[in-house]
Amino acid sequence: MKAGNPPTDHGGSMPTIDILLPGFAIDTDQGYPAFCGVFLVRGPDAAGRHRNILVDAAHVGRRPFLWNALAAHGLDAEDIDTVVLTHAHWDHVQNIDLFPQATLVLHPDERRYAHTPHANDWATPAWTGLLLEQLPVREVTDGEEIIPGVDVIGLPGHSPGSIGVVVQTERGRATITGDALHFAYVALTKRNPLVFWDADQAARSIERVLTVSDVVYPGHDRPFRLTSDAGIDYLEPFALTLTGLRPDTLGLRFADASSRPLWVMPGVKEQSKLYEKNADDIQRRINRVPKVVRPVPREAGPEKG
Amino acid sequence: MKAGNPPTDHGGSMPTIDILLPGFAIDTDQGYPAFCGVFLVRGPDAAGRHRNILVDAAHVGRRPFLWNALAAHGLDAEDIDTVVLTHAHWDHVQNIDLFPQATLVLHPDERRYAHTPHANDWATPAWTGLLLEQLPVREVTDGEEIIPGVDVIGLPGHSPGSIGVVVQTERGRATITGDALHFAYVALTKRNPLVFWDADQAARSIERVLTVSDVVYPGHDRPFRLTSDAGIDYLEPFALTLTGLRPDTLGLRFADASSRPLWVMPGVKEQSKLYEKNADDIQRRINRVPKVVRPVPREAGPEKG
């Protein structure tokens, strides 16, 4: 399918959300698989042109799976015209170079911070800014419209410029939250388990998501609604196949996720000062990044959907 | 511990290998966790000075675990003076920015290729070259010595400039192979399951590893010896804890790893031509990369070893 052609499965005028890659709440004691949700939002822009908007891009370990998911939706990478980043953490941004036709949409604080991240911020390597500047950038803040019915909501705290995307769908207001709300259970605990910027801001952002949303698409979990008795009603089944392990593999253990501790990055106070101090130099940092991304024809990846 | 002081656990003159992060052969149908082995090679250089050499750096999802593993060995990131990359794939290189005091050691073909990777090469994003140039680079080829008893072995095929590190240890010649040999079973099948450059070269590289090695440290598996009856004798136990899953989680399936197919990247033929074509422009590409890595004090990460 070429950009501009309406997809056969999208005839209405309300925008739609499809899950391209599901988010997972899986961890290990040897590293983070860090599989975030990747979403396709489709609908007409103000001029009536069909738009294919990707929200978050995942890390390199999901690249062939992302190609296949796009193909399963009748799309090539070139058909994506907009890539929204909920934030600049490694597991959400690394595949943006697949979309050379797209404009990158993110919050100005997130963009700027990514050029001088704190040394303790293990989710934002020093080279993150070099990666972000590979696409043309549109900076957006709370309340801005991406297309009609698709709006930015400011959700800072997990990171300096975390945003969500609120989509007016046929089943109500759906918010793609990024890691302002990683997991469904966070809607009950109301504390962000992984704070790289400001824990109080992060708690207010969770409240805000819950206030505005009929349906929540979390950063690392399945979409859900809250039931009237404060239960979690998942809208999609869990599905995952592990290769190279069996339940009885010697040395394999399973741990309860409810033990996930709350973590606040050491140095968050000095971090905001560092950010202010570096602000004057940001435009120079942005300007000097060489552009290495350019469109090239591509054949299929190793996985077949 | 400061660089230059001999570690208390290393008194001999032969170099040693420690596993900082174990490699795992785990995959999923939703993405690659891609946990490669990260190794610490220690020994005196030709001038008798103690050296701390990291072989491969893993991806960002293992960053806090790498900090902790270094600490468990009495080291800070600043104590690492050399980072050898077996190759430039995403899951081996992303944490090099943690080591601002280190020289990056890799093969010239790997370095050059990483500046203009093929569009089908999902393991080498277009921005890989920007990342590699963040440390001073020493290019090495087959047979070069890193320190006495620690030598480079050329193992191309999986990627253009894959190398291994052969270490003369007290238990014999040990080869850290990178993904020239991902998994122990490859020592029996003698075919690389994931070829991004040249399948025949990759097969010869496997033979070469087996010829020179008493012990093999694979890219994504535990160290092993081959037994006299062509069996695999692992030298370390398997140990992994999964959080957020249980063996009976609804929708969770386990698949046999023996079904891992052989894959050769579509476009490997045109790829070498592309590489030749871009060769003249490489120095310009290298020179224009801005340096964004600089030493900053750091406190502890979220995980405690």
Side-chain angles (χ1 to χ4, degrees), chain B:
Chain B
M1 177 189 302
K2 290 300 147 216
N5 294 347
T8 51
D9 56 340
H10 179 264
S13 65
M14 294 192 84
T16 59
I17 305 180
D18 286 296
I19 300 174
L20 284 179
L21 297 178
F24 288 89
I26 301 161
D27 279 334
T28 85
D29 67 339
Q30 299 291 328
Y32 301 124
F35 293 168
C36 77
V38 177
F39 306 98
L40 176 65
V41 175
R42 289 184 281 191
D45 66 12
R49 289 172 303 189
H50 179 79
R51 292 292 182 180
N52 295 314
I53 301 163
L54 196 82
V55 183
D56 286 340
H59 65 60
V60 184
R62 305 190 82 186
R63 187 166 288 218
F65 303 85
L66 183 51
W67 280 337
N68 292 339
L70 287 165
H73 287 79
L75 296 174
D76 290 326
E78 289 75 16
D79 296 326
I80 300 296
D81 46 69
T82 307
V83 176
V84 180
L85 295 181
T86 60
H87 62 304
H89 283 174
W90 76 284
D91 51 330
H92 294 250
V93 307
Q94 293 193 343
N95 291 321
I96 65 168
D97 60 293
L98 292 184
F99 306 103
Q101 318 297 345
T103 297
L104 194 68
V105 173
L106 78 169
H107 193 283
D109 286 337
E110 198 72 4
R111 182 191 195 185
R112 282 160 178 66
Y113 172 77
H115 283 271
T116 56
H118 194 282
N120 292 358
D121 183 346
W122 54 264
T124 316
W127 40 267
T128 304
L130 303 180
L131 197 170
L132 295 183
E133 303 302 332
Q134 294 306 316
L135 300 186
V137 171
R138 176 187 164 196
E139 298 183 354
V140 295
T141 56
D142 184 55
E144 278 187 71
E145 182 181 283
I146 299 175
I147 60 174
V150 179
D151 298 293
V152 172
I153 181 172
L155 299 173
H158 172 67
S159 70
S162 276
I163 58 173
V165 177
V166 183
V167 184
Q168 311 285 348
T169 71
E170 285 181 357
R171 58 183 179 182
R173 283 203 293 192
T175 306
I176 300 170
T177 67
D179 295 350
L181 196 151
H182 294 81
F183 315 114
Y185 79 77
V186 171
L188 308 180
T189 64
K190 300 187 177 180
R191 300 297 296 174
N192 191 304
L194 266 180
V195 171
F196 291 84
W197 185 254
D198 186 304
D200 293 336
Q201 269 191 352
R204 288 195 296 274
S205 290
I206 294 165
E207 288 289 0
R208 194 158 176 221
V209 168
L210 300 178
T211 302
V212 306
S213 314
D214 298 307
V215 180
V216 177
Y217 287 74
H220 292 266
D221 205 345
R222 291 172 282 153
F224 68 96
R225 293 172 189 273
L226 286 183
T227 62
S228 52
D229 58 344
I232 289 163
D233 177 23
Y234 279 117
L235 305 182
E236 299 286 343
F238 179 88
L240 179 69
T241 298
L242 297 177
T243 303
L245 286 177
R246 292 156 39 118
D248 60 352
T249 294
L250 203 68
L252 177 63
R253 280 180 290 272
F254 295 86
D256 189 336
S258 69
S259 64
R260 202 187 297 272
L262 297 175
W263 178 79
V264 177
M265 192 188 83
V268 283
K269 299 292 182 196
E270 74 193 54
Q271 187 190 30
S272 5
K273 288 194 202 108
L274 179 75
Y275 176 74
E276 297 300 330
K277 185 169 153 293
N278 289 325
D280 290 346
D281 193 38
I282 289 295
Q283 198 55 52
R284 189 186 63 83
R285 289 176 184 273
I286 289 173
N287 291 343
R288 69 179 177 167
V289 178
K291 299 286 188 291
V292 297
V293 171
R294 64 232 173 283
V296 184
R298 186 182 60 72
E299 297 172 55
E303 296 289 328
K304 298 295 170 191

Side-chain angles (χ1 to χ4, degrees), chain A residues 17-47:
Chain A
I17 305 180
D18 286 296
I19 299 174
L20 283 179
L21 297 177
F24 289 89
I26 301 161
D27 280 333
T28 86
D29 67 339
Q30 298 292 328
Y32 301 124
F35 293 169
C36 77
V38 177
F39 306 97
L40 176 65
V41 175
R42 290 184 281 191
D45 66 13

Side-chain angles (χ1 to χ4, degrees), chain A residues 108-140:
Chain A
D109 286 338
E110 197 73 2
R111 182 191 196 185
R112 281 160 179 67
Y113 173 76
H115 283 271
T116 56
H118 194 282
N120 292 358
D121 184 346
W122 55 264
T124 315
W127 40 267
T128 304
L130 302 180
L131 198 170
L132 295 184
E133 302 302 332
Q134 295 306 316
L135 301 185
V137 171
R138 176 188 164 195
E139 298 182 354
V140 295

Side-chain angles (χ1 to χ4, degrees), chain A residues 204-277:
Chain A
R204 288 195 296 274
S205 291
I206 293 166
E207 288 289 0
R208 193 157 177 221
V209 167
L210 300 178
T211 303
V212 305
S213 314
D214 298 306
V215 180
V216 177
Y217 287 74
H220 292 268
D221 205 346
R222 291 171 281 151
F224 67 97
R225 294 173 188 271
L226 286 183
T227 61
S228 52
D229 58 343
I232 289 163
D233 177 23
Y234 278 118
L235 305 183
E236 299 285 344
F238 179 88
L240 179 70
T241 298
L242 297 177
T243 303
L245 287 177
R246 292 157 35 121
D248 61 352
T249 295
L250 204 66
L252 177 62
R253 281 180 289 272
F254 295 86
D256 189 337
S258 69
S259 64
R260 202 187 298 270
L262 297 175
W263 178 78
V264 178
M265 191 187 84
V268 282
K269 299 293 181 196
E270 74 194 51
Q271 187 190 30
S272 358
K273 288 192 202 107
L274 179 75
Y275 178 73
E276 297 302 329
K277 184 169 152 293

